[in-house]
Amino acid sequence: MPMTQAMDCLAILSRHLPGLARILSGDAPAATVFTRRLTWAVCLLASACAGDVQREWPMPYVSRAGARQGRLDVVARFADGSVLAIEIDRANKRASVHKLQLARQRLPALALWIRWRGVAMAPPAGIQLLDLSAGGARPDVLERPTMFPTAHALLHALPDARLAEVFDTLAAAGPVRIERIVSHGQASPEDFWYDQAQAEWVMVVQGAARLAFADGEVALAAGDWLTIPAHCRHRVAWTAPDQDTVWLAVFYDEAGGPHADR
């Protein structure tokens, strides 16, 4: 199916949305407020491209937790039959990527993932990424020049992780990265193992989880932490299904041992 008009709309969004994002974030709005503004701007630009725009397009899918009634943030249909499916996020969300992959197959559609905060993970082939954080649009913190650092609350206004785990990079410098991960009942697939090039220090700040290693499992409650050496194969065996589990992880180049401490 031709994607000419959808691709033209994608080019217009890429050209104009970063500037609009900076304007819309000028009064340092809350994250939810800015996301609504950004979605409005996306719909306006897509409509200007002569697209038939619909928000909250149903996109059901099946996750490890069962059937989900997912929804795409924006779907724009054009006169030449092309379709543009858009997800707008402030954090890494595997569910968004999954819905966009399904949209490419089912509609079919050109898929666009708009990210406006943090370090975006590389999307799978076939999904276009518009990373607004690279252009300075980070409206929930807005990190304006100031003489004093801004305090942020690790457990305040947690993202909804019921559909998929949410990853936020809190700080990064050189080979060191500090990340907050929010889980809600997720676990790694049975045949999947992390094999990371860096060591990882990780703490469960809230909730409960179990990590599996080749020689057994380690149970973690709030306040427990451990160090995982580089290339130590591990997976998430379980996270609490009835509450948010919040992890704080530090990735770095030095090696260490997986010793749990309380």
Side-chain angles (χ1 to χ4, degrees):
M1 178 178 293
M3 289 289 177
T4 303
Q5 289 183 298
M7 292 185 69
D8 289 344
C9 185
L10 173 60
I12 289 173
L13 288 170
S14 300
R15 185 180 309 121
H16 295 291
L17 201 57
L20 283 173
R22 285 191 290 273
I23 294 171
L24 296 174
S25 65
D27 59 344
T32 53
V33 173
F34 178 78
T35 299
R36 286 197 298 269
R37 293 179 181 178
L38 193 60
T39 302
W40 169 83
V42 168
C43 291
L44 186 64
L45 287 172
S47 297
C49 298
D52 179 13
V53 178
Q54 181 173 331
R55 294 187 56 187
E56 300 296 320
W57 182 280
M59 185 56 64
Y61 67 97
V62 178
S63 71
R64 293 192 297 272
R68 298 289 189 183
Q69 183 53 53
R71 295 182 181 276
L72 290 164
D73 290 332
V74 179
V75 169
R77 293 177 172 271
F78 300 93
D80 65 353
S82 61
V83 181
L84 179 61
I86 304 170
E87 280 285 286
I88 304 167
D89 291 315
R90 74 179 186 96
N92 287 319
K93 291 186 178 180
R94 291 191 178 93
S96 294
V97 173
H98 185 46
K99 286 185 288 183
L100 288 173
Q101 289 175 315
L102 291 175
R104 294 185 66 232
Q105 300 168 6
R106 295 176 181 176
L107 294 178
L110 183 65
L112 173 61
W113 188 23
I114 299 175
R115 282 288 316 278
W116 60 258
R117 181 186 173 195
V119 180
M121 65 182 186
I127 296 179
Q128 306 295 317
L129 174 64
L130 178 53
D131 182 8
L132 298 180
S133 65
R138 303 176 63 173
D140 66 332
V141 291
L142 279 187
E143 304 190 70
R144 296 174 173 177
T146 176
M147 293 179 61
F148 302 99
T150 302
H152 305 282
L154 187 68
L155 301 178
H156 177 67
L158 292 174
D160 188 349
R162 287 173 294 180
L163 292 181
E165 288 182 304
V166 180
F167 298 79
D168 275 317
T169 298
L170 305 181
V176 179
R177 184 175 84 258
I178 302 174
E179 194 171 79
R180 181 186 69 180
I181 307 164
V182 183
S183 308
H184 197 111
Q186 288 88 7
S188 302
E190 290 296 330
D191 58 349
F192 174 83
W193 292 88
Y194 288 101
D195 186 353
Q196 298 167 167
Q198 290 186 297
E200 176 184 357
W201 179 93
V202 62
M203 169 188 277
V204 171
V205 180
Q206 170 185 298
R210 292 197 303 271
L211 291 178
F213 298 88
D215 53 356
E217 292 189 358
V218 176
L220 299 169
D224 295 348
W225 60 270
L226 57 77
T227 301
I228 305 172
H231 297 295
C232 176
R233 285 161 52 88
H234 64 284
R235 56 185 297 275
V236 178
W238 175 86
T239 58
D242 56 350
Q243 63 176 316
D244 287 330
T245 294
V246 180
W247 313 72
L248 184 64
V250 181
F251 300 88
Y252 58 98
D253 283 348
E254 298 177 3
H259 304 298
D261 295 274
R262 299 194 177 196

